[in-house]
C-alpha cells in the first residue's frame, strides 16, 4: 500500500502509486522544445564598470596550500605566524579568565550571607 501526506488532515493517508510518487506541488517533467531566453545572459559588461574587476587578484590558494602542508611541527591554527599566535594566546587568556571568573562567582554564590 502507498501513502502520501494530506495537506488537509495533516496526516498520512492511503494513495495510489502515482499519487505517492508525485507529491503535492511537484509536476511531472515535460520536455521543452526550445530553451527559454536567458534573463541575465549578456556577453558585454554593463556601462560604467571597468573592464577588469579591481578586486580580483592572483590565486593565493596554491601558496597557502604550501604553507599549511609544510611539516614543521606546528599545529594548523598556528601556521601563519605572529597573528595566529596572538589570536591563540588572546583566546586562551579569555578562556582561562572566564573560567576563573565563573569559579569565583560560584564560590560566592555557594556561601550563605552573614546576618548582622
Amino acid at each position: 500500500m502507498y501513502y502520501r501526506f494530506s495537506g488537509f488532515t495533516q496526516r498520512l493517508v492511503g494513495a495510489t502509486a502515482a499519487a505517492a510518487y508525485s507529491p503535492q506541488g511537484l509536476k511531472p517533467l515535460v520536455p521543452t522544445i526550445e530553451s527559454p531566453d536567458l534573463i541575465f545572459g549578456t556577453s558585454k559588461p554593463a556601462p560604467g564598470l571597468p573592464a577588469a574587476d579591481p578586486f580580483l587578484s592572483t590565486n593565493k590558494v596554491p601558496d597557502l596550500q604550501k604553507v599549511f602542508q609544510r611539516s614543521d611541527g606546528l599545529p594548523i591554527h598556528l601556521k601563519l605566524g605572529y597573528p595566529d599566535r596572538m589570536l591563540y594566546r588572546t583566546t586562551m587568556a579569555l578562556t582561562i579568565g572566564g573560567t576563573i571568573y565563573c569559579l569565583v562567582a560560584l564560590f560566592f554564590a555557594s556561601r550563605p550571607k552573614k546576618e548582622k
Side-chain angles (χ1 to χ4, degrees), residues 21-102:
Y21 288 116
S22 301
Q24 297 171 353
L26 298 179
K27 296 182 174 127
L29 292 175
V30 177
T32 57
I33 298 172
E34 60 185 49
S35 63
D37 294 332
L38 293 175
I39 296 173
F40 297 107
T42 60
S43 60
K44 56 185 175 183
L49 293 177
D53 292 336
F55 59 86
L56 294 179
S57 62
T58 60
N59 189 3
K60 298 178 183 177
V61 173
D63 298 331
L64 289 174
Q65 283 177 342
K66 289 177 187 173
V67 169
F68 286 121
Q69 291 176 355
R70 194 172 51 215
S71 66
D72 52 4
L74 286 174
I76 193 74
H77 57 275
L78 297 176
K79 290 270 187 179
L80 290 182
Y82 184 74
D84 282 346
R85 281 192 308 232
M86 290 307 298
L87 183 61
Y88 177 74
R89 289 177 182 167
T90 303
T91 303
M92 286 298 112
L94 288 172
T95 302
I96 292 169
T99 302
I100 292 171
Y101 179 78
C102 287

